[in-house]
Amino acid sequence: MLTRRFFLKSSGLALVSFGVAPRALVRALHAAERGRRRKTLVVVFQRGACDGLNTVVPYGESSYRKLRPTIAIPAPRGGGRDAALDLDGRFGLHPALEPLLPLFRDGSLAAVHAVGSPDATRSHFDAQDFMESGTPGVKSTEDGWMNRHLQCASQSSATPFRAVSLTPTLPRSLAGRAPAVAMADIGRFDLRPAGGAAVARGFEDMYAGAVRDVLHGTGQETFEAIEFLKKTRPGRYAPSPGASYPRGRYGDSLKQVAQLLKADVGVEMAFTEVGGWDHHAAEGGVQGQLAVRLRELGQALAAFHRDLGQRMEDVVLVTLTEFGRTVRENGNRGTDHGRASVSFVMGGGVRGGKVHGRWPGLSPDRLYEGRDLAITTDFRDLLGEILVRHLGARDLGKVFPGHEGSPSRFPGVIRA
Amino acid sequence: MNGRYGRAAALIASLGLVVPGGMAASSPARSSPDEDARIVHALNRLGYGPRPGEVEKVRAVGLERWIQLQLHPARIGDGALEARLAGYRTLSLSVGELMKGYEVPREVKREIQKKRAEMGEDASEEEVARARREFMQEYAGSMQQMRGRPRQVVEELQAAKVVRAVYSERQLDEVLVDFWMNHFNVFAGKGPEKFLVGAYEREVVRPRAWGRFEDLLKATARSPAMLFYLDNWLSADPDAEPARMARRGGGFRRGGRRLPPGQGQGRKRGLNENYAREVMELHTLGVDGGYTQKDVTEVARCFTGWTIRGLRQDEPEFVFDARIHDRRDKRVLGHPIEGGGQGEGERVLHILATHPSTARFISTKLARRFVADEPPAAVVDRAAHTFRETDGDIRAVVTAILTSPEFLASGSRSVKVKTPLEFVASAVRASGARVTDARALARRIGEMGMPLYMQQPPTGYKDTSEAWVSTSGLLARLNLALDLAGGRVRGVEVDAAGLAPGARDVAAMAAALSARLLPAGLSEPTRRTLQRESGLDAARVAGLLLGSPEFQRR
């Protein structure tokens, strides 16, 4: 019924003059769209294998302190900044994640510990690939799990912004048949100004006319995206009061996700990534490289939550990393490649204020291959739960082929 | 220009070819619209699109003769290309030389990480610059042995690929080498792979691109690049005794963090099925080629002990390490294989290379590259038949495809969407641009989603339209079109006005530019768009043409 173009022009920000369509229709469209309460999933991929044990710290485990003589985070002591921030009497947040503590306490943030992939590779390359394809151990999978979800749950009112990645190229997670937009920076998603407006119009006409061409739809979507983004230039975007994103690429990308969500452009899945977690040396404890990365991540997530305010009710954000790190620190105040790590889940329907997942323990007999935190939650069960209970997915078998996605395996992080 | 035509004429003379009307440049042969369309098609499929004057050149030689010439690249002089590549000095270095000269010393790497952590995220650009200067002074000694940064190695490889695509006279040779590099994909981003890829292309793939498929397959199987990328170098008999394992120190540096992930201390070695699976699924039989998980495991056992000596130390090379080889008997695709060392892997590769599924899989993929996303069954049948009859003679198979009536048929024209590499190379060629430094062009190809040598999954890049149609990709193409025509790509000089010399009005200019850039003709919407142009701005019109839907096709 409604074309994408029509839909786009009629929704969102002050999306301008509309020509001939009656105002009542515009309002009706707005209402219909709002009424549907589009749910959104935001994926944060921490590339490089984040040390889950120094992120959500099992401070009660004696093995933890023993195996990490120089990089262990001290057990909480009265909320001091040089120790873990207590979550539940067993686990504490790395002090650099302080901005997340209020969110955990008010129930909008949860952690899931000992998450990972059943494939035992310790290669970043393979493990990221498996986590993004959603098919551990199967290398030939061509599309990503996020894209397969979009393929299964097709929408007549889908916009070009239904799946957006704030990265220079489309990540493996979003690769596949369903349309998805990659934009390193929405402020630069535009044609070169040197061409002038007439050139843009020229291109638009050429692609609009190429009706039997596969490029026709893409051309149309591209110009719609450009046109829309012209109204939301980042320079003009003011996050909600109190939402203070950290400087740098990562804060910017999450800020841009918030910007798109607040503009109601139909985002169902958004992808961001943040690198620099591969701390073989100088990982540090309370201070150090990991602390720097966590500070940025925590600030960004907290700012995003504050920025979206009420809208956060319709959003779930999940962090993923390809694997965790060795329980024992190495000779360079760092850690080597391990197995399980931790995920954060934040948003409206989240059963927050809790560290989910079965804790496998750190005593020598409980470690995987005698060295790593064992996996008790398959990442596909965590994502599967979010897809089913938040996005309303019906066919997990298509999203994670070869994996039995039964609710009994869900970690229980989303309210059913 | 004279030089090039002079060489072409000399070459044609040396081949004993009769050139109607003499020199190509001076006197084009008779042209007919359909013949020219066929020529444009061939230039788009056997190579990276026409350059100014090239349609006339091929017409002068004769299309069939030109195709035959491209099928025998050794007969085509390509001396000028070497001069264009000379500036990229890492290209001719051995793997060992690259590792010595372009790998950041370990201790320096660690210090850089530490420094970055100390400075934090809020450091201003000046602070970072000052820290960098201080750092360089402090570690001048350790850094002195470095000839360049590791990134330079990949950047130059990428640039060289673009230069070859743009300038090589052996266009089909470049297309075929690219095809095999993609078929036998490796990923330069995986640890030391970036130092191995150049030699892999130069010494393993390129010399065998036109030979027997089995030889090419075997050479890739033994290459350090493939052994490392698909982890076979780590694969060992799980029952190999620890004592046997421990002796296997040989060429490996153990315990240091330079070892690839998964090879840390205290980890039991075992069978790695990675290569075994991909060699059947991606390199030979195809995913439906009739093998089972049991075959994967058996093939993996056959390849235990196929490993690398000297990785990270000197010149890495293939070595068979009998100490970690699984010596028991195996059974692969129904063939019993007696435990017998290195010969087992060789035997497996022979079985795979001569399997009928392989003939069909390779033929289909080649036909997809040259003819259509869904190639006509007749072409695939003919190619697969040739593959089987000639024992996998690649030149014969490619010849069968390129001389099939379906290849030149009008229905095959412009049905392929260009990959980013094809788009960028063809735009540079069409505009007659002069490339002095191809690195910026290579970066643009990366921004379009095809970072060269950087495709992580072993599947390589896709060769079908839908893989290359995306909003970000299209926008990147439109911007490249505008920047290229406007002379705003670093290292590339273009004279858009020179493409339409002497044009006095917009219509004449648009007509001249269209003929140059889109010799196959314009679509109606594009023609109408150009009609609306009012200023005599050649760069603008050229930008529109290079960004048009029809230029995205080949």
Side-chain angles (χ1 to χ4, degrees), chain A residues 122 125-126 139-140 142 181-182 190-192 195 198 205-207 213 218-219 222 247 289 292-293 337, chain B residues 113 117 121-122 231 261 267 274 278 281 456 462 469-472 474 479 483 532 540 544 547 552-553:
Chain A
R122 288 191 182 88
F125 149 69
D126 287 345
K139 292 201 158 189
S140 55
E142 285 182 339
V181 181
D190 198 0
L191 275 175
R192 293 285 184 274
D205 291 344
M206 287 195 273
Y207 281 86
D213 196 307
T218 306
T222 305
R247 280 204 285 167
Q289 289 192 33
V292 172
R293 309 307 299 142
H337 299 178
Chain B
Q113 282 186 344
E121 294 297 301
D122 293 340
D231 303 325
R267 185 173 179 221
N274 198 356
E278 307 308 357
E281 176 184 328
Q456 201 177 69
K462 287 223 220 168
V469 175
S470 79
T471 57
S472 51
L474 180 59
N479 279 328
D483 287 347
R532 284 203 307 271
R540 218 173 107 115
L544 282 168
Q552 310 311 314
R553 299 182 160 275

Side-chain angles (χ1 to χ4, degrees), chain B residues 40 44 54 65 74 97 115 142 163 244 262 281 287 302 323 398 400 418 425 433 447 467 473 479 499 502 550:
Chain B
V40 171
N44 273 325
E54 206 157 25
R65 282 205 180 104
E97 287 168 331
K115 191 97 195 170
S142 327
V163 168
R244 230 165 97 204
E281 176 184 328
V287 70
C302 289
R323 290 168 299 184
V398 175
K418 291 173 182 172
E447 286 168 15
N479 279 328
L499 291 174
E550 48 267 50

